Amino acid sequence: MPLFGNTFSPKKTPPRKCASLSNLHLLDRSTREIELGLEYGIPTMNLAGQSLKFENGQWVAESGSFTGDHREMQRLRRRNQQLEEENNLLRLKVDILLDMVS
């Protein structure tokens, strides 16, 4: 028997209060978004003077932000197409040469 009584006597915890007193958790998602203001909109950002927005999992330039760079993009696309065609032609030549060797 301990000298000063029971050394381990934890106090009882007070009962928990109700988790939520509002009825917003009973509403459907769209009503909650309207009530709580959870419409964030499309994420946008500005990089080097160009405005970009996030749509369908990709960052897309907003219309009108590529005024000066539009020609450069077209030139690069044409050059890319030319290189792809040249690459396909060279692959065909290599295949033909390999067939001739074997």
Side-chain angles (χ1 to χ4, degrees):
M1 177 131 207
L3 185 62
F4 296 109
N6 191 359
T7 58
F8 183 73
S9 59
K11 296 181 180 178
K12 289 189 175 184
T13 57
R16 293 185 179 186
K17 294 181 181 178
C18 182
S20 175
L21 296 176
S22 73
N23 60 356
L24 289 176
H25 66 280
L26 299 175
L27 300 174
D28 61 319
R29 180 179 177 186
S30 61
T31 309
R32 268 187 290 176
E33 287 179 355
I34 292 170
E35 290 289 329
L36 299 174
L38 295 178
E39 278 197 36
Y40 298 115
I42 298 173
T44 58
M45 69 175 174
N46 290 325
L47 286 176
Q50 297 176 358
S51 180
L52 303 169
K53 59 184 176 180
F54 193 73
E55 286 184 348
N56 299 327
Q58 292 184 342
W59 287 100
V60 179
E62 288 185 358
S63 61
S65 66
F66 273 156
T67 54
D69 295 333
H70 188 65
R71 291 184 198 136
E72 181 70 16
M73 293 218 7
Q74 284 181 342
R75 186 185 67 77
L76 289 174
R77 283 187 182 140
R78 271 189 258 119
R79 180 71 177 144
N80 189 21
Q81 182 68 27
Q82 288 173 352
L83 290 174
E84 285 178 358
E85 290 174 359
E86 183 180 349
N87 192 15
N88 289 337
L89 179 65
L90 291 173
R91 283 184 184 166
L92 180 64
K93 287 182 179 182
V94 166
D95 286 342
I96 291 172
L97 287 172
L98 285 174
D99 285 343
M100 291 172 65
V101 169
S102 60

